[in-house]
Amino acid sequence: MSLNRKKVLVTNDDGINGEGLKVLVDSLKKVADVYVLAPDSNRSAVSSKITMGQAFTFQKHGEGIFSCNGMPADCVNIGLISSLFGVKFDVVVSGINSGPNMGTDVVYSGTCAAARQAVLKGVPGIAVSLESKYFDYDNDDDGFNFKPLADFTANNLDELISLCDGEVFVSLNATSADSYKEAAFASLCIRDYSDNFPVKSEGEDLFSGHFTSDGLSVTGEADSDYNIARSGKIAISLIYAEPVMKRPERSVKFKF
């Protein structure tokens, strides 16, 4: 490992066997010293969940490459403060996620949660997500070409790190393509999955149900992550890691 190259911790929420993670690591290795700590299986949509009250186990998959039974945020915490790697990391890169993490989805995304957790620990965090060229998952060919976005991340690692000012993490979103010619800063769209939850009786005092969807609708400004990614560009969003507080605009008289 080089003393002059950036030290990068890579994780994801798709799990250690995620194709996007493998391609991202290969690209980053060309410009940085790369270490991996990822969940041992898929942990999508776990948000910033952390594991409490139980031990972690680790499986080594190669030099500097581990999986564990924790969540994406756990992987970041462990990687940054434990003796597992014994290095001081310059940045955490999370991804590449198989699917976009745009707008409202940022709240639920384990990919984005890992980048957020890095910033909360004082380290720049970058989340990288790719939408299938088919815009869905119903094709035999899943439509994910991770390498162009992985190469962009590696080639612009210093620039992306510079955008993390201690308050924000960087979220990249793109639609799968053979190449990209432009990147643009993006606002966040609003994604509404039109959720339903039908409930049925399964017998005395027992009920069951599951979420269904009437389909995704997306709204947002012209410069939203959704519109920029769908236009063939890479969307770059800067998202506050800490919750942003809104001060009340009027006084309220509470009852006691």
Side-chain angles (χ1 to χ4, degrees):
M1 298 291 185
S2 168
L3 294 176
N4 298 320
R5 284 155 54 103
K6 292 282 193 303
K7 303 292 188 297
V8 181
L9 174 63
V10 177
T11 190
N12 70 354
D13 71 1
D14 287 336
I16 190 68
N17 293 316
E19 184 63 24
L21 181 141
K22 296 176 183 177
V23 176
L24 179 61
V25 167
D26 286 344
S27 292
L28 287 171
K29 280 183 174 179
K30 298 173 184 177
V31 300
D33 293 342
V34 179
Y35 303 78
V36 177
L37 179 57
D40 55 14
S41 61
N42 191 292
R43 302 285 196 276
S44 294
V46 298
S47 190
S48 292
K49 181 179 179 180
I50 57 174
T51 303
M52 301 177 67
Q54 70 180 62
F56 293 95
T57 57
F58 304 91
Q59 176 69 48
K60 189 172 184 179
H61 299 265
E63 190 60 37
I65 302 174
F66 292 87
S67 63
C68 84
N69 59 332
M71 304 294 158
D74 291 325
C75 291
V76 174
N77 283 336
I78 293 165
L80 294 182
I81 69 173
S82 76
S83 59
L84 188 65
F85 299 111
V87 300
K88 180 177 174 60
F89 287 105
D90 298 295
V91 62
V92 172
V93 183
S94 178
I96 297 174
N97 190 65
S98 296
N101 281 304
M102 301 175 182
T104 320
D105 291 347
V106 170
V107 176
Y108 309 104
S109 164
T111 303
C112 291
R116 180 187 300 115
Q117 191 64 32
V119 173
L120 295 177
K121 288 291 185 182
V123 175
I126 301 167
V128 190
S129 306
L130 187 67
E131 183 175 40
S132 167
K133 67 181 179 182
Y134 301 118
F135 312 131
D136 60 38
Y137 300 93
D138 296 330
N139 291 270
D140 292 334
D141 172 7
D142 61 14
F144 290 104
N145 181 8
F146 294 104
K147 191 171 188 305
L149 187 56
D151 286 345
F152 174 86
T153 304
N155 293 337
N156 294 278
L157 186 61
D158 287 342
E159 288 77 8
L160 295 171
I161 290 173
S162 74
L163 296 173
C164 299
D165 60 3
E167 294 185 307
V168 303
F169 67 91
V170 176
S171 178
L172 304 183
N173 277 282
T175 301
S176 184
D178 293 332
S179 64
Y180 302 101
K181 296 188 178 351
E182 192 173 349
F185 289 107
S187 63
L188 300 181
C189 66
I190 297 174
R191 293 166 71 86
D192 182 356
Y193 289 88
S194 303
D195 291 328
N196 299 301
F197 196 88
V199 176
K200 65 178 182 178
S201 174
E202 297 288 0
E204 186 176 358
D205 297 330
L206 181 65
F207 302 86
S208 68
H210 65 278
F211 281 105
T212 63
S213 172
D214 291 333
L216 172 67
S217 64
V218 183
T219 57
E221 303 296 330
D223 71 344
S224 73
D225 44 11
Y226 178 85
N227 288 327
I228 287 176
R230 285 293 179 93
S231 74
K233 303 173 186 177
I234 297 172
I236 304 175
S237 301
L238 307 182
I239 303 171
Y240 282 103
E242 294 279 5
V244 177
M245 186 188 76
K246 180 178 180 179
R247 296 188 180 278
E249 297 176 354
R250 60 184 179 86
S251 62
V252 178
K253 189 173 183 179
F254 295 103
K255 300 179 181 69
F256 295 95

